[in-house]
């Protein structure tokens, strides 16, 4: 879980926005859609077709801090932060509004000033919402909604195991959190409530 260490703040530089835009010396990979989604629908595979209707394939990106590839961290495992509306989180050019949250910039700056109670910044999994406001409302909507349930199951039972297998990620809910704004915050809270053995914290903004 990420904790802001206000008591340890000794850097004289003001910790104020705007935070840096972009990857901030880290690196980004885009996960192959065919490894996360049923990208080949077939009339003979009803489950695959229904799954694509519920959650159409999209590009999920993973940001790794610069420390991930440094020799001194080669055996280090990292906490993981899942970000709803991931298209809005890092790059201004990708954001709906033209101005991203600059989440990666904020995490990097906090880490540089020893304001995170972790040894290195977390891996951030940027999960974009559907391609329309109506679909976003369904995916991040109230828990009984079948599309919202499908989103939660995808996050907990497909995406998280994939991240655990591919990246050096710490195990346990104390090292796994979800974040989102508005309905993305609701979706993050629902992950915490539905899958407490996986997600140990939620930032609902």
């Amino acid at each position: 879980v990420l904790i802001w260490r206000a008591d340890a703040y000794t850097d004289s530089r003001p910790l104020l926005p705007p935070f840096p835009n972009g990857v901030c010396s880290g690196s980004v990979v885009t996960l192959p859609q065919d490894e996360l989604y049923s990208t080949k629908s077939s009339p003979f595979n009803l489950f695959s077709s229904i799954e694509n209707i519920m959650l159409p394939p999209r590009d999920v990106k993973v940001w790794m801090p610069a420390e991930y590839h440094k020799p001194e961290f080669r055996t280090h495992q990292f906490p993981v932060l899942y970000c709803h509306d991931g298209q809005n989180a890092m790059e201004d050019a990708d954001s709906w509004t033209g101005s991203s949250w600059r989440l990666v910039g904020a995490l990097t700056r906090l880490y540089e000033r020893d304001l995170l109670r972790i040894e290195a910044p977390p891996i951030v999994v940027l999960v974009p919402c559907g391609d329309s406001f109506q679909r976003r409302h369904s995916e991040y909507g109230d828990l009984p909604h079948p599309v919202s349930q499908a989103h939660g199951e995808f996050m907990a039972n497909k995406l998280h195991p994939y991240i655990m297998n591919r990246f050096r990620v710490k195990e346990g809910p104390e090292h796994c959190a979800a974040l989102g704004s508005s309905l993305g915050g609701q979706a993050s809270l629902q992950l915490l409530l539905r899958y407490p053995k996986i997600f140990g914290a939620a930032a609902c903004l």
Side-chain angles (χ1 to χ4, degrees):
V1 177
L2 310 179
I3 302 176
W4 180 29
R5 294 184 58 191
D7 61 320
Y9 185 50
T10 58
D11 197 311
S12 60
R13 294 172 296 174
L15 187 66
L16 299 172
F19 298 114
N21 179 52
V23 300
C24 298
S25 301
S27 57
V28 174
V29 297
T30 300
L31 305 183
Q33 289 190 8
D34 59 356
E35 295 181 10
L36 290 177
Y37 300 92
S38 300
T39 56
K40 296 181 179 179
S41 298
S42 166
F44 303 104
N45 188 342
L46 182 59
F47 176 79
S48 174
S49 299
I50 293 175
E51 189 177 41
N52 282 345
I53 293 172
M54 289 286 196
L55 292 175
R58 65 204 65 179
D59 286 337
V60 176
K61 298 181 180 182
V62 177
W63 175 80
M64 293 164 287
E67 287 72 20
Y68 191 88
H69 298 292
K70 291 182 177 180
E72 60 267 34
F73 286 90
R74 65 182 180 274
T75 62
H76 184 79
Q77 293 181 312
F78 292 74
V80 59
L81 175 63
Y82 291 90
C83 181
H84 289 101
D85 289 318
Q87 74 282 352
N88 295 331
M90 181 175 63
E91 293 276 5
D92 288 352
D94 296 336
S95 175
W96 288 341
T97 64
S99 180
S100 75
W101 305 338
R102 300 193 176 187
L103 171 65
V104 164
L107 288 172
T108 301
R109 188 166 287 178
L110 286 168
Y111 175 72
E112 289 172 348
R113 301 178 189 196
D114 196 29
L115 292 172
L116 297 176
R117 290 179 179 172
I118 48 179
E119 296 174 346
I123 288 173
V124 181
V125 183
L126 304 165
V127 185
C129 67
D131 57 4
S132 69
F133 285 109
Q134 290 83 0
R135 177 161 291 282
R136 178 179 183 270
H137 287 186
S138 297
E139 293 178 0
Y140 297 171
D142 293 339
L143 193 57
H145 197 294
V147 177
S148 175
Q149 292 184 23
H151 168 74
E153 290 169 4
F154 168 77
M155 295 286 289
N157 299 325
K158 185 169 286 188
L159 180 58
H160 183 64
Y162 183 94
I163 295 296
M164 292 291 294
N165 288 331
R166 179 165 174 178
F167 299 92
R168 301 196 310 275
V169 173
K170 292 183 177 182
E171 295 186 17
E174 65 271 25
H175 305 298
C176 179
L179 174 149
S181 172
S182 188
L183 278 176
Q186 175 173 282
S188 300
L189 178 60
Q190 289 177 170
L191 289 178
L192 177 65
L193 296 176
R194 290 186 65 190
Y195 304 99
K197 293 183 179 180
I198 297 175
F199 300 93
C204 310
L205 310 177

